[in-house]
């Protein structure tokens, strides 16, 4: 179905924002487009804004700065969606774990070492600690053009647990995996806590104005198949179920990065509306095995934004030619990298917008 065609649900459906329509199953030509990490260091205006905050958490928790960061790529590119400027680490922070950002090193946390450390985490502290996040959402919605959707987000329980146990990023997340392997009942208590925290965090974003939510399981791909189901799919399915029960009109997108063949179970069993694909997912397989079950989103390699324009345009068109005739949202397979030239993002957007089947 193209934009010029009338939806079977009539004018009410037509009035929905394009991203929401696509996630409800409408096949739009061209498809909606937004980018993970579309607000970030590659934009010169972001660099100037970032200099106004003493540290990254202060940046996220200052509503005026978060508002401006969210709006910058919308002003520059006219994307179909704005995603709240925040970070997945706000949930561990809100639970009471010490979180800070070392310049050039990413997030750092006071690592959880055993089940005893879970006693220091509490759900009751979330609303007050994360109030600035919820405060800015109505301001963003009021400032956005009518046609632009507002996306809220959170990290998935497995990915958050990885950071919380390792104390930051890791090459292999061996400490988190060892805990999950050796003491699954104990690890399950942390996972259950994070499911509850994620549901509360996303629900608060929805109540404040988010119209779509995405859950990022950035480290799903480090899990073997059995544990991928237990610690990624099952918690994400529970989060989706509870969000759908409370907010049935709000689409949910899941991003179990590097899940490989495991993507199929997410497509068939998660209950989500959309499935974001990393760049390793073969396009033909996604069309045949995933798209019949769920709206797919993705999956351009962010490094292609560093390539020559002709190369970038050809790869964008290949993705569109393969997936664009079905229910689809154009995006990257991960976030925009800092070395990206803003003009390359403009080229990408123009290529998507000019595409026809």
């Amino acid at each position: 179905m193209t934009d010029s065609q009338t939806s079977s649900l009539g004018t009410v459906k037509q009035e929905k924002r394009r991203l929401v329509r696509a996630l409800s199953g409408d096949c739009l030509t061209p498809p909606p487009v937004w980018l993970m990490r579309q607000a970030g260091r590659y934009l010169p205006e972001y660099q100037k804004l970032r200099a106004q905050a003493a540290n990254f958490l202060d940046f996220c928790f200052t509503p005026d700065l978060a508002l401006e960061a969210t709006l910058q790529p919308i002003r520059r590119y006219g994307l179909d969606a704005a995603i709240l400027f925040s970070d997945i680490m706000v949930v561990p922070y809100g639970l009471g774990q010490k979180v800070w950002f070392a310049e050039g090193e990413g997030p750092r946390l006071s690592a959880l070492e055993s089940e005893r450390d879970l006693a220091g985490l509490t759900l009751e502290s979330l609303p007050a600690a994360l109030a600035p996040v919820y405060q800015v959402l109505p301001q963003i919605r009021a400032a956005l053009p009518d046609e632009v959707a507002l996306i809220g987000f959170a990290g998935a329980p497995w990915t958050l647990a990885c950071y919380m146990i390792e104390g930051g990023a890791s090459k292999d997340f061996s400490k988190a995996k060892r805990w999950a392997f050796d003491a699954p009942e104990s690890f399950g208590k942390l996972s259950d806590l994070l499911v509850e925290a994620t549901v509360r965090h996303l629900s608060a974003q929805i109540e404040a104005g988010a119209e779509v939510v995405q859950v990022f399981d950035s480290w799903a791909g480090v899990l073997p198949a059995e544990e991928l189901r237990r610690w990624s799919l099952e918690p994400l399915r529970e989060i989706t179920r509870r969000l759908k029960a409370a907010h049935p009109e709000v689409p949910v997108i899941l991003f179990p990065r590097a899940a490989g063949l495991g993507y199929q179970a997410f497509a068939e069993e998660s209950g989500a509306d959309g499935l974001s694909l990393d760049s390793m997912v073969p396009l033909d397989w996604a069309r045949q095995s995933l798209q019949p079950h769920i709206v797919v989103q993705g999956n351009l390699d962010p490094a292609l934004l560093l390539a020559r324009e002709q190369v970038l345009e050809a790869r964008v068109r290949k993705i569109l030619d393969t997936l664009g005739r079905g229910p689809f949202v154009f995006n990257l397979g991960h976030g925009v990298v800092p070395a990206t030239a803003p003009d390359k993002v403009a080229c990408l957007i123009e290529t998507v917008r000019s595409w026809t089947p």
Side-chain angles (χ1 to χ4, degrees):
M1 180 181 298
T2 67
D3 277 342
S4 62
Q5 293 176 294
T6 301
S7 166
S8 61
L9 296 182
T11 57
V12 172
K13 186 70 169 289
Q14 288 285 9
E15 288 169 1
K16 287 186 177 180
R17 296 175 176 98
R18 297 184 80 250
L19 178 65
V20 178
R21 290 178 57 199
L23 290 169
S24 68
D26 281 3
C27 300
L28 305 181
T29 303
V33 54
W34 69 279
L35 306 177
M36 289 183 274
R37 219 177 285 149
Q38 63 190 28
R41 289 176 288 172
Y42 75 104
L43 292 175
E45 56 266 42
Y46 173 90
Q47 296 280 15
K48 293 179 182 178
L49 191 67
R50 173 66 183 84
Q52 297 180 36
N55 59 67
F56 187 69
L57 273 181
D58 282 353
F59 191 21
C60 292
F61 288 144
T62 303
D64 288 349
L65 298 182
L67 169 65
E68 177 62 19
T70 303
L71 295 176
Q72 284 177 346
I74 305 305
R75 294 196 197 102
R76 185 183 272 264
Y77 300 117
L79 295 146
D80 290 297
I83 183 166
L84 166 70
F85 187 84
S86 185
D87 194 88
I88 67 171
M89 289 298 109
V90 301
V91 165
Y93 173 86
L95 290 171
Q97 190 170 14
K98 184 179 179 182
V99 178
W100 69 100
F101 283 78
E103 209 57 47
E105 296 180 20
R108 304 291 294 274
L109 302 88
S110 55
L112 304 178
E113 296 182 355
S114 70
E115 185 178 337
R116 290 190 302 273
D117 294 330
L118 302 187
L121 306 176
T122 173
L123 291 161
E124 283 63 42
S125 61
L126 272 176
L130 303 189
V133 176
Y134 313 136
Q135 177 185 337
V136 74
L137 281 155
Q139 299 175 40
I140 297 170
R141 181 61 268 169
L144 285 174
D146 287 344
E147 67 274 14
V148 177
L150 175 55
I151 304 171
F153 75 95
W158 166 251
T159 288
L160 292 180
C162 282
Y163 284 108
M164 294 168 77
I165 294 167
E166 302 282 344
S170 167
K171 292 182 178 179
D172 55 16
F173 294 102
S174 57
K175 293 180 182 178
K177 291 171 73 173
R178 183 174 61 194
W179 189 340
F181 291 150
D182 281 348
E185 183 175 338
S186 170
F187 186 83
K189 294 178 181 178
L190 174 58
S191 182
D192 290 346
L193 174 69
L194 291 170
V195 167
E196 178 66 30
T198 302
V199 170
R200 293 189 188 191
H201 185 44
L202 290 173
S203 291
Q205 291 180 56
I206 291 167
E207 289 160 8
E211 299 150 321
V212 175
V213 293
Q214 176 158 315
V215 190
F216 289 81
D217 208 350
S218 303
W219 303 115
V222 306
L223 289 166
E226 182 176 337
E227 282 73 25
L228 179 69
R229 171 172 287 275
R230 183 167 188 179
W231 302 124
S232 181
L233 173 57
E234 291 179 5
L236 289 174
R237 180 168 56 198
E238 177 63 11
I239 289 167
T240 301
R241 183 192 69 78
R242 292 178 58 184
L243 288 173
K244 287 292 183 183
H247 310 282
E249 75 288 357
V250 175
V252 177
I253 307 169
L254 303 180
F255 182 33
R257 182 178 171 225
L261 294 176
Y263 270 111
Q264 187 156 4
F266 284 88
E268 295 175 0
E269 302 175 33
S270 69
D273 303 277
L275 189 62
S276 200
L277 311 180
D278 66 77
S279 304
M280 296 296 291
V281 177
L283 297 176
D284 288 338
W285 181 76
R287 185 187 70 245
Q288 295 165 10
S289 300
L290 305 180
Q291 213 168 23
H293 305 286
I294 199 166
V295 180
V296 295
Q297 174 179 278
N299 69 336
L300 185 78
D301 189 328
L304 281 158
L305 289 167
L306 309 178
R308 290 181 293 112
E309 284 194 1
Q310 298 93 323
V311 175
L312 170 62
E313 291 167 355
R315 195 64 62 90
V316 170
R317 285 193 292 268
K318 182 176 181 180
I319 293 171
L320 291 165
D321 289 342
T322 307
L323 299 175
R325 294 172 177 83
F328 181 58
V329 175
F330 194 95
N331 209 310
L332 303 178
H334 201 217
V336 178
V337 298
T340 301
D343 287 351
K344 291 292 185 63
V345 175
C347 174
L348 182 159
I349 302 302
E350 175 57 30
T351 305
V352 173
R353 293 270 165 78
S354 64
W355 177 79
T356 54

